Amino acid sequence: EYFGLRANLRASTGLRNAITGSAILTSLDFGDLEDNLRGSLRFQQLVGGRLAHTVSLEASYRDRLYNGSLGYQTVRSSIGGIVTSPVIPLGDTGFNLSYQAGAQYITADSDRIDLLEPIRDNNRISLGRLQGSAALSRGFLLWQGNALPATATQGLRYTPTPIVPYVQLYAGVRGDASFYTSGDQQTLLTGTIGIQGQFGNFSRPFLDYTGFNLAYSQRILSGASPFLFDRAADTRILSAGISQQIYGPFRLGVQTSINVDTGQELSTDYTLEYSRRTYGVVLRYNPALELGSLTLRISDFNWVGGTDPFSGSEVRSPF
């Protein structure tokens, strides 16, 4: 019971498709295999020309998601397909559009008494779900400074590319609609406005870099999901973060988000980074998610791996 097993599959039958899979046993005690196994299998195919869409067929077992104030949720099983668009620039307007649509058959936890069996061993229900979403966003550059020359003693002293100071305002709107075979529906319209930027060139030994972001999201909700894993529970969210050079290659950062209505902390990342031109080390800890990571960056290689600091945690958001 003190040992586990992880297996990954990656294959392709052509240049425009991929088959990926993963399986995780959190314990080699096979007497409780049903609750120790997590796994998924996905087939992805690019369809179309310049603006190719991705068609995905996926089956998963005990998928783990983090749904804000509702905490960790486990989807017992899911099978279905999703069509995802690329990010589409809308002419010269500066707006970017993306969308997706999918259909799935899902077994997951619910608190709906009318959908649960009177005598039961668990609180899971099985329903079909049709879902679609679309997002529109745009950035507005307010100010931009100049980068230092790309030399080892100036612009490339602590980073692989020279840092350009800037301040940018951004805004976006996203609509999500989910329809369930129980007759329930959940529609969600989310508007986000924020500002982000960075000052300094990260070249001098002291306080020569400050990165920041501040964003507010407002959700307008209609209906409610019969499941817990994709139920929208946080309607007003404030996010903020800062990264500050302390001395030389060391930067200290914090990124947090809270539910404005309740004041509950939804997620907070604390980071300590040691950055050089050719490599970097990042120590990250998130007490809300109960996750930590140690990331090594090596520059100037054709890296094709994941960049999510918690990509190995099997924790995702439903939105």
Side-chain angles (χ1 to χ4, degrees):
E1 65 181 10
Y2 296 105
F3 295 89
L5 178 69
R6 179 190 299 268
N8 293 295
L9 168 69
R10 186 177 298 272
S12 177
T13 60
L15 296 177
R16 293 168 62 85
N17 61 53
I19 300 171
T20 57
S22 66
I24 299 167
L25 277 173
T26 57
S27 169
L28 296 184
D29 179 6
F30 294 106
D32 194 19
L33 183 63
E34 183 180 0
D35 291 324
N36 290 333
L37 175 66
R38 298 183 188 274
S40 66
L41 183 65
R42 174 184 296 176
F43 173 78
Q44 292 181 305
Q45 174 74 52
L46 285 176
V47 177
R50 184 175 63 88
L51 295 176
H53 288 57
T54 301
V55 178
S56 301
L57 302 177
E58 181 177 4
S60 64
Y61 179 71
R62 295 189 68 242
D63 197 12
R64 195 183 190 202
L65 299 101
Y66 184 76
N67 190 7
S69 60
L70 294 181
Y72 283 114
Q73 303 292 331
T74 296
V75 178
R76 189 68 175 187
S77 64
S78 173
I79 185 169
I82 300 175
V83 178
T84 306
S85 78
V87 177
I88 304 172
L90 299 182
D92 298 327
T93 64
F95 286 93
N96 293 312
L97 172 69
S98 61
Y99 53 86
Q100 70 176 32
Q104 297 164 306
Y105 185 74
I106 300 168
T107 299
D109 287 338
S110 175
D111 59 357
R112 287 275 302 275
I113 300 299
D114 58 317
L115 298 177
L116 294 168
E117 295 292 337
I119 301 175
R120 57 187 182 273
D121 296 325
N122 54 65
N123 291 328
R124 292 191 290 267
I125 59 174
S126 297
L127 297 172
R129 180 183 72 173
L130 295 176
Q131 188 177 48
S133 69
L136 188 67
S137 62
R138 192 187 193 284
F140 304 88
L141 186 64
L142 303 180
W143 170 80
Q144 180 172 300
N146 298 314
L148 294 178
T151 64
T153 58
Q154 296 189 68
L156 302 180
R157 187 174 184 183
Y158 300 127
T159 60
T161 56
I163 285 180
V164 179
Y166 75 95
V167 177
Q168 181 186 48
L169 184 71
Y170 62 92
V173 62
R174 171 174 171 156
D176 295 270
S178 300
F179 303 92
Y180 305 86
T181 52
S182 62
D184 296 286
Q185 58 84 27
Q186 176 177 269
T187 56
L188 190 65
L189 182 65
T190 305
T192 300
I193 186 168
I195 187 170
Q196 63 183 13
Q198 56 189 16
F199 298 109
N201 297 108
F202 201 19
S203 178
R204 295 193 298 268
F206 296 98
L207 306 178
D208 191 29
Y209 176 84
T210 302
F212 69 94
N213 63 81
L214 179 66
Y216 174 74
S217 295
Q218 174 75 58
R219 291 172 168 175
I220 300 175
L221 176 65
S222 175
S225 168
F227 295 115
L228 292 174
F229 80 92
D230 66 343
R231 184 176 300 170
D234 306 302
T235 56
R236 296 198 297 162
I237 301 172
L238 181 67
S239 302
I242 187 169
S243 177
Q244 177 66 55
Q245 179 195 19
I246 304 302
Y247 172 74
F250 289 97
R251 286 190 288 192
L252 189 65
V254 60
Q255 179 72 42
T256 188
S257 61
I258 63 171
N259 182 315
V260 175
D261 296 311
T262 64
Q264 180 181 350
E265 173 191 5
L266 303 179
S267 178
T268 300
D269 277 351
Y270 298 98
T271 59
L272 176 62
E273 178 183 8
Y274 180 86
S275 179
R276 307 295 296 195
R277 180 177 62 86
T278 56
Y279 68 95
V281 180
V282 181
L283 180 64
R284 185 184 306 262
Y285 177 62
N286 189 313
L289 298 179
E290 298 180 338
L291 290 174
S293 70
L294 179 64
T295 303
L296 173 65
R297 168 183 59 82
I298 301 177
S299 303
D300 299 327
F301 285 86
N302 293 325
W303 173 250
V304 294
T307 57
D308 182 351
F310 296 136
S311 60
S313 64
E314 290 76 52
V315 177
R316 298 181 293 108
S317 169
F319 301 106

